[in-house]
């Protein structure tokens, strides 16, 4: 029993953090918003260089061969930096391609790892597909939950508005006769289930980073901004608001780490789906709460387009609605919990059969 | 990250489970804030001690079994799982005990710890005075040195377990000219000394859960001082840290409450409606989060880390979770008709009254949020 | 259009307030708890003297002939003083007896007005009957919503525990063959509907008084109690807690007044039931919230049996559960609201047909 | 208590309803924070003024129709019911207008009020400076007397409508040696004077809803001062009271939003679940409570009463209700799939961004809660 992140994962995380702090300042994001830059360019190539794009991909395909526990650490940094590159899609796509195997995996996994291709993944429960704009391949649901691989050029993408201009959402259609399914029936459903869990985890992990960033910006601003002759951060009302953010953050974090761990070792964890939903719910709520409090702590300045705060506020809103809303994930906890689907109470947290 | 128990940990759990299943009294004991309840709880503690389970993380010589913190968490899980009685000597074993381990002399450890583990000596805490509540440094009670003794005068209040305890610990002003945090000494006082008057204070539930204690020229041997003379604040801060910390508030208690809440909600699911069900699910998630965060903390501690102000996060989290769970239970019961029709109702109401004290004692949650903001986040004072 | 209380009602309210402040200090309530005094004694007679017991009863039967708008003002004072006399039952019973009419009304209304009798009223939806302990007559539901009048001596009362020892709740059974129904079918249902609305209104109006009292005690205590060299009430955290109590109180109050007005003029107000449920919900929540904040503001002293604070905390909890829980009343708003049962939006608040 | 409208009030409502139904533009106008939108909103205001409906409670001579406050509430209900445009000149008609009525000279009233009612002159407010936000007394911009003029220097910020307005009102330090609340004067400044630079500031929605305004030796005629020289704080406090007060925040806006929220929830009821439905019902109750409380306040005012600090209760209540309603709408829409599939989504998101400013402007809700605690409840400072 050891609930600490592995030393080497923390080092990787720190190096990504340093890299993004240097290479992805808010000015670059704003250039992207303004259409003056594109995703999947130099920054994406540099991330591939660091191994980030292929972190879940086996070494034989040019990846780092890490697991989702490590990926969660890395995604935290994507959230902290408000990264707009298609990293979450790489995390969602890679294990799906590996599971599908064959020529498709042989062709695309090395390209993802090398930062030369983006593979976007849809889901039968949700109409929006993220990153379809810059993808070369789309893995999409068809009729009866069938799974299709469709080259981007063969799909019609209708861009959808997003509360976060850094996240590109589209409604995608394609001709299913021209692209027969790669998986159908029970197998396809199992694949989609796994996609949902990974998608939700990417949101949860990013939300932790977003929440930390919002908190840090708010502490810094309220420590510096003076009114009535003292820093506004010395007023108890603002202290308690940010203390509450810290509380939500610190109790969401272990849920996310545990969810990543359970999903990485799914065979041992029948409650993996519940773990993911708990993590998604609380991490995204922590980030949304942080956004609300951060704006109130900043006052009017936070309400301007020029201040960077709203970059993370928008990310928080957008992550909360992606890969299942709060209501969706809460119901995925509530129903099995109240249905008695698994044992609860003291001594059950890590129990997977061995003590009963 | 390895979220599986070792074989040794599993063996420890089995041993604890078997002993508890064989020895836990069937049915609840009366409250330890009654004379009869106090007697029965002392009996239970004696049995626990005889079995070697009174304070598993303590060294064997002091009545423990030298377990590590993971084993402590496992023991607590089994203890709550078995529905074992509340710990009458919690002021001793969870607050003063660790303080003596850290600040006590060899003699003090030998003198106090074993009888604390066995609950032969039950402890009251003497934190507060009428004008020193949240403002703990405003202590007025004095302990003035007179040769080999301190002469103690003044008043303590809200001394929990004061009504039925044998000993009391607290801070007293040993330098009469000192102010605030300076000149205080941490002193252990037997409650049977001449000059001591204990006035039990009934709580919301009508039982004397705490007491006022008056000191009138009470002569306390100087060897009962813990730590240096005048250094009582530092000792007390350590104790207060333990009060908010890991040992006293291991997750099992809240997981046990969450489990009871879920069972209650299941039993009345049709009456309850989705909104309340959602809130119940959130509480269970909260209890799980608290457990996971505790395992994470223990992992860090065993690898040589320290906890400091983070205990303020714990204190706020568990106290508000606990209150919320009891509120929800009463709401669910409210949907099920009058209280008497449900045997669990009285227990939940008692639990609610107890939970209401959570955000107040061990430093109000307002004080804890200040600590979080100032010491953890680094916001300006 | 005039939303002010009538001058003469305010005078009556003030005189009741002064009377209770003088004659019903917490010590008297504690004597009642300790069994050293009984309800329905000298205080009840004195209240009858003031006209309070018969305020809804016609003058010909010895009452004041007031309406529920005035009664709501008076019940606020019952809450403020934590009155333990069976005043709410008198408010619930009197219009029911008047509606039933005949010999029953002729016999009992004058006795209620004179403070010589208490009539307790049950309800088919709730198992507990309040004030059965000191009543002489019980108006109770039987099979199929039938309404029975049963002398106290002919009923079996099993006392129920209450979170508030000042409120006496019992489960009551009786022999329905020996006491044939006074009303059945649609008429009985209509009577029970009206009873429910009056019962809920009595709780709402009392809750306003309870909330005010808790707020006032908290302001007084935090202004006086010093820590860290200043009154604890000068700390922003406590200020904002009590400001929030004030907010809930001030926006619950007009809901209660409007509910009383609608019920008093039921013929004009098809949404009377919705008005009552809104008022019950928000007034009782305000009082419960006040109880929670008051305890936190008082700290340990508020947690003692000897301090009077818990008298009002218990009343707040108990009123919230009486005559329908929060969930019950919220659903009675939600269902017609979302079902489109009445027009909403600007210009509809007071519209009862005249502007459409 | 009489909760029925008089015949006169009903007749007034009918008249307003008929005029609005005949004249309100079909379909929404572009935001008044765009050049085109500002033009169209000014056109609408001109039409409203021509009909005599621009500012119904004002005296006829100033462009009103001498209505009382109940009629004002009725007019607002009809205005929102008809879906009429937002009021581009709200800084003028709701804040400065009533202030001029109270503090202005006869000449000032005649000069400013009619063109304000018609929106021939649109007003920006100049409350804040970079170091005077919540701390409004920390004003640095100066207006120093020079014969018949003030020479104005300094900077205002967050001047709402600053980008497209004709005039600005604000406080300036007219006594350079003064501090805090003293030595300030309340001055009306045409934005076309030499030495003024307006820098529009884009808001969260990307539109320039407010501006920074820089003053560099700007010469403003002394007759543009409202109230006595040095008495600006008192004038501004009155204006701030109007900002939180009744005219600007009549209940119809929130009832209209609540109605839209209920409709949205009805349309997606099966997707939404009971917990969200409950929250929607609570919002509608909140909007009703706000309306009722306003009618209660107006009843008192018309009987000769005053409102003072109570406006802080209003401000906190409506701003948090408004935010909550928009949050819920976005949650409901989130259950319905991607935003583009619902035509209402963009409108609700815009509304949410606007609602987020509610707890900040016109004095943050933290400041308002201090006022409630100190001035209404009488808690110690």
């Amino acid at each position: 029993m050891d609930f600490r992140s592995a030393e080497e994962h923390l080092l990787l995380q720190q190096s990504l953090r340093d890299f993004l702090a240097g290479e992805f300042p808010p000015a670059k994001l704003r250039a992207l918003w303004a259409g003056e830059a594109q995703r999947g360019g130099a920054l994406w190539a540099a991330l591939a260089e660091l191994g980030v794009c292929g972190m879940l991909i086996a070494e034989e395909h040019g990846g780092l061969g890490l697991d989702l526990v490590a990926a969660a650490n890395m995604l935290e940094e994507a959230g902290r930096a408000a990264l707009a590159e298609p990293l979450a899609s790489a995390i969602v796509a890679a294990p799906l391609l590996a599971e599908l195997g064959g020529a498709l995996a042989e062709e695309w996994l090395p390209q993802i790892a090398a930062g030369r291709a983006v593979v976007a993944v849809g889901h039968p429960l949700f109409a929006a597909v993220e990153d379809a704009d810059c993808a070369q391949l789309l893995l999409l649901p068809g009729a009866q939950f069938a799974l299709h691989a469709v080259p981007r050029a063969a799909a019609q993408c209708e861009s959808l508005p997003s509360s976060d201009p850094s996240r590109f959402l589209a409604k995608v259609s394609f001709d299913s006769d021209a692209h027969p399914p790669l998986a159908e029936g029970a197998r396809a459903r199992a694949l989609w289930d796994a996609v949902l869990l990974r998608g939700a985890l990417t949101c949860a992990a990013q939300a932790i980073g977003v929440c930390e960033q919002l908190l840090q910006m708010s502490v810094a601003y309220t420590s510096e901004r003076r009114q009535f002759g003292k820093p506004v951060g010395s007023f108890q009302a603002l202290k308690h608001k940010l203390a509450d953010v810290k509380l939500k953050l610190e109790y969401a974090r272990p849920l996310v780490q545990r969810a990543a761990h359970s999903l990485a070792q799914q065979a041992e964890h029948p409650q993996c789906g519940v773990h993911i939903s708990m993590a998604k719910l609380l991490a995204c709520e922590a980030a949304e709460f942080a956004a609300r409090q951060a704006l109130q702590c900043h006052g009017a300045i936070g309400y301007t387009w020029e201040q960077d705060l709203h970059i993370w506020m928008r990310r928080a809103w957008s992550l909360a609605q992606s890969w299942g809303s709060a209501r969706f994930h809460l119901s995925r906890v509530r129903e099995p919990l109240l249905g008695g689907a698994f044992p609860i109470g003291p001594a059950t947290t890590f129990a997977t059969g061995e003590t009963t | 990250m390895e979220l599986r128990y070792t074989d040794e940990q599993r063996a420890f759990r089995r041993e604890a489970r078997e002993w508890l299943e064989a020895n836990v009294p069937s049915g609840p004991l009366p409250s330890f804030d009654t004379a009869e309840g106090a007697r029965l709880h002392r009996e239970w503690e004696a049995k626990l001690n005889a079995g070697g389970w009174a304070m598993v993380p303590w060294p064997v010589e002091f009545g423990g079994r030298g377990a590590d913190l993971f084993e402590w968490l496992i023991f607590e899980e089994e203890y709550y799982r078995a529905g074992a009685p509340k710990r009458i000597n919690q002021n001793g074993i969870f607050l003063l005990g660790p303080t003596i381990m850290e600040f006590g002399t060899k003699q003090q450890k030998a003198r106090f710890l074993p009888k604390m583990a066995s609950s032969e000596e039950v402890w009251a805490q003497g934190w507060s005075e009428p004008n020193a509540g949240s403002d703990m440094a405003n202590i007025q009670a004095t302990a003035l040195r007179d040769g080999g003794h301190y002469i103690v005068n003044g008043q303590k209040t809200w001394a929990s377990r004061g009504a039925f305890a044998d000993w009391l610990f607290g801070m007293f002003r040993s330098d009469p000219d000192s102010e605030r945090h300076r000149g205080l000494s941490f002193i252990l006082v037997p409650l049977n000394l001449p000059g001591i008057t204990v006035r039990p204070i009934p709580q919301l539930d009508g039982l004397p859960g705490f007491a006022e204690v008056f000191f009138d020229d009470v002569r306390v041997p100087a060897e009962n001082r813990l730590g240096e003379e005048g250094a009582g604040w530092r000792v007390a801060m350590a104790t207060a840290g333990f009060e908010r910390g890991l040992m006293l508030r291991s997750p099992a208690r809240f997981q046990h409450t969450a489990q009871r809440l879920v069972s209650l909600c299941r039993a009345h699911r049709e009456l309850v409606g989705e909104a309340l069900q959602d809130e119940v699910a959130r509480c269970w998630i909260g209890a799980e989060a608290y457990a996971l965060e505790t395992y994470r903390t223990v992992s860090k501690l065993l690898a040589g880390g320290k906890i400091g102000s983070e205990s303020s996060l714990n204190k706020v989290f568990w106290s508000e979770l606990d209150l919320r769970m009891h509120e929800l239970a009463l709401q669910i019961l409210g949907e099920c008709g009058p209280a008497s029709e449900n045997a669990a109702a009285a227990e939940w109401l008692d639990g609610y009254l107890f939970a209401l004290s959570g955000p107040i004692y061990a430093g109000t949650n307002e004080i804890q949020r200040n600590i979080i903001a100032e010491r953890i986040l680094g916001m300006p004072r």
Side-chain angles (χ1 to χ4, degrees), chain B residues 104-299:
Chain B
T105 62
K106 203 172 158 195
Q107 289 78 6
Q108 286 174 326
K109 289 179 190 170
R111 162 66 188 84
F112 291 112
L113 295 176
K115 288 188 175 175
M116 189 183 286
S118 67
S119 291
E120 199 175 324
E121 291 175 350
V122 169
W123 286 81
Q125 47 92 331
W127 279 145
S128 299
E129 296 184 3
N131 291 307
S134 290
D135 185 5
M136 253 176 75
N138 195 30
I139 283 189
Q140 307 295 328
T142 55
L144 302 183
R145 192 63 176 264
D146 177 30
H149 285 79
Y150 288 100
I151 314 294
V152 175
N153 278 288
Q155 178 187 354
K156 297 289 176 187
T157 192
W158 320 130
S160 63
R161 301 296 85 66
F164 299 104
D166 309 296
W167 282 74
L168 171 143
F169 64 83
M171 270 190 297
F172 297 85
R173 201 161 286 284
S174 50
D175 174 357
D177 299 327
S178 63
E179 287 193 343
R180 308 293 303 161
H181 316 78
R182 297 167 208 285
L184 299 168
S185 293
F186 195 105
I187 297 179
L188 316 179
V189 187
L191 285 170
N192 61 1
L193 288 181
I196 291 182
T197 309
V198 174
R199 190 183 79 87
I201 309 177
Q203 300 183 145
L204 282 191
D205 61 4
L207 299 179
F210 35 42
E212 283 181 303
V213 184
F214 300 90
F215 303 86
D216 182 13
D217 283 339
V218 178
R219 290 181 68 82
V220 182
E223 68 252 31
N224 285 9
R225 190 193 65 233
L226 194 59
E228 294 303 304
E229 185 169 297
W233 183 259
R234 206 176 129 233
V235 183
M237 285 303 96
T239 315
F242 296 127
E243 188 169 13
R244 294 193 288 271
L246 190 70
M247 300 285 285
L248 180 56
R249 295 299 165 221
S250 71
R253 173 177 144 202
F254 309 106
Q255 293 187 290
H256 183 61
T257 305
Q259 182 182 19
R260 289 169 53 223
L261 177 64
V262 168
S263 301
L264 182 70
C265 185
R266 275 182 197 151
H268 303 286
R269 200 166 174 188
E270 276 158 41
L271 285 169
V272 160
E274 193 186 283
L276 271 178
Q277 291 175 26
D278 278 352
E279 291 304 300
V280 168
R282 282 181 179 279
C283 283
W284 176 74
I285 295 173
E288 282 286 289
Y290 187 70
L292 294 170
E293 176 60 13
T294 305
Y295 271 84
R296 204 167 76 106
T297 304
V298 167
S299 301

Side-chain angles (χ1 to χ4, degrees), chain B residues 1 7 20 23 36 119 176 204 295 304 306 318 331 346:
Chain B
M1 192 171 293
D7 288 344
L20 288 163
N23 289 282
E36 171 71 356
S119 291
L204 282 191
Y295 271 84
K306 292 251 175 227
W318 69 249
Q331 280 178 36

Side-chain angles (χ1 to χ4, degrees), chain A residues 157-212:
Chain A
C157 293
E158 180 197 336
S159 154
L160 295 171
S162 162
S163 56
D164 177 5
S166 311
R167 299 188 72 225
F168 295 80
L169 305 177
K171 202 169 152 182
V172 180
S173 49
F174 65 98
D175 176 359
S176 58
D177 293 339
H179 305 279
L182 300 182
E184 294 181 282
R187 178 157 182 254
R189 280 174 190 261
L191 291 171
W192 288 128
D193 284 349
V195 162
L196 173 63
L197 299 188
R198 273 200 307 286
L201 179 65
T202 64
C203 293
Q206 289 178 84
I208 294 290
V210 169
C211 186
E212 284 204 335

Side-chain angles (χ1 to χ4, degrees), chain B residues 130-135 158 199 201-204 206 210 271-273 323 330 334-335 338 340-341 352-354 356-357 359-360 366-367:
Chain B
N131 291 307
S134 290
D135 185 5
W158 320 130
R199 190 183 79 87
I201 309 177
Q203 300 183 145
L204 282 191
F210 35 42
L271 285 169
V272 160
L323 190 50
L330 293 180
E335 300 297 322
S340 77
E341 301 193 323
Y352 177 61
L353 295 178
F354 180 64
L356 278 169
S357 71
I360 296 170
E366 287 75 32
I367 298 281

Side-chain angles (χ1 to χ4, degrees), chain B residues 303-353:
Chain B
K306 292 251 175 227
I307 28 171
S309 312
E310 296 91 328
S311 60
S312 294
L313 290 165
N314 285 1
K315 166 51 223 306
V316 175
F317 192 86
W318 69 249
S319 60
E320 296 181 358
L321 173 63
D322 196 39
L323 190 50
R324 182 79 188 120
M325 291 195 288
H326 285 87
E327 279 172 356
L328 280 173
L330 293 180
Q331 280 178 36
I332 293 171
L333 288 166
E335 300 297 322
C336 311
S340 77
E341 301 193 323
N342 193 307
E347 196 181 343
W348 281 110
L349 182 59
D350 275 354
Y352 177 61
L353 295 178

